[in-house]
Amino acid sequence: EAGVVQSPRYKIIEKKQPVAFWCNPISGHNTLYWYRQNLGQGPELLIRYENEEAVDDSQLPKDRFSAERLKGVDSTLKIQPAELGDSAVYLCASSLGTLEKTQYFGPGTRLLVL
Amino acid sequence: SQQGEEDPQALSIQEGENATMNCSYKTSINNLQWYRQNSGRGLVHLILIRSNEREKHSGRLRVTLDTSKKSSSLLITASRAADTASYFCATVKLIIQGAQKLVFGQGTRLTINP
């Protein structure tokens, strides 16, 4: 079974530029999560999708971050414009349902904003 | 804000020794999970312990939970070089609509020396 796929794995951009991350969850997983992980820290949830609906985006900085999950499968997380403080690893995870269901994480996209 | 706090932040032991990591949290939980993250990789789920359980085993892993002290510990017995990784506890509590929310600690960086 294929795991969660993310691309790109690495991205270096200059501040004020836009950037987008893509995630393909495990087939059949209806719940998808985007996390941000700063260096030396644990992941922090940005947004959670149930199928195509964003059901928890309370931690998403909506002035510059946006996300979508078309057709309830793949998802894209966008930052526009990027700031220096956005440098982090962006992790995507998926699960089959939410209540006590194990989350499966992708390898992440490491973003460096210069 | 992150709820779980791991202790110690870093741990270095010899191969074959046991490694113990602790996690403390602040509010009531439904369950607590431990994850492992190898360098540059995503997180891998290790074990889940429910709030009404006190101890759980999985191979060389033993997890305990003390809800009165709001703490959990992860014991890895007979450590191997491949156990070198960061270990995160994640507390889980029910939010609206029956969904769960994972809140990660800062992690313990474990190094196994050959």
Side-chain angles (χ1 to χ4, degrees), chain B residues 20-77:
Chain B
T20 300
M21 289 157 274
N22 303 297
C23 170
S24 61
Y25 57 91
K26 297 177 182 176
T27 63
S28 62
I29 60 172
N30 297 96
N31 66 64
L32 184 145
Q33 302 179 24
W34 285 90
Y35 284 79
R36 182 187 74 225
Q37 185 177 35
N38 291 89
S39 180
R41 310 287 288 274
L43 282 75
V44 175
H45 181 264
L46 294 177
I47 198 165
L48 179 154
I49 186 166
R50 295 184 174 84
S51 58
N52 62 352
E53 297 175 316
R54 292 296 168 259
E55 187 171 311
K56 204 161 184 179
H57 297 254
S58 177
R60 294 184 295 111
L61 306 180
R62 181 172 78 94
V63 169
T64 62
L65 178 65
D66 187 337
T67 53
S68 65
K69 296 182 179 178
K70 291 186 169 58
S71 67
S72 173
S73 67
L74 170 65
L75 168 67
I76 303 175
T77 60

Side-chain angles (χ1 to χ4, degrees), chain A residues 37 41-42 98-100 103 106, chain B residues 2 37 42 50 94 100 102:
Chain A
Q37 185 177 22
Q41 303 290 316
T98 56
L99 191 58
E100 290 197 355
Q103 294 186 23
Chain B
Q2 297 195 355
Q37 185 177 35
R50 295 184 174 84
L94 284 177
Q100 67 170 0
L102 276 177

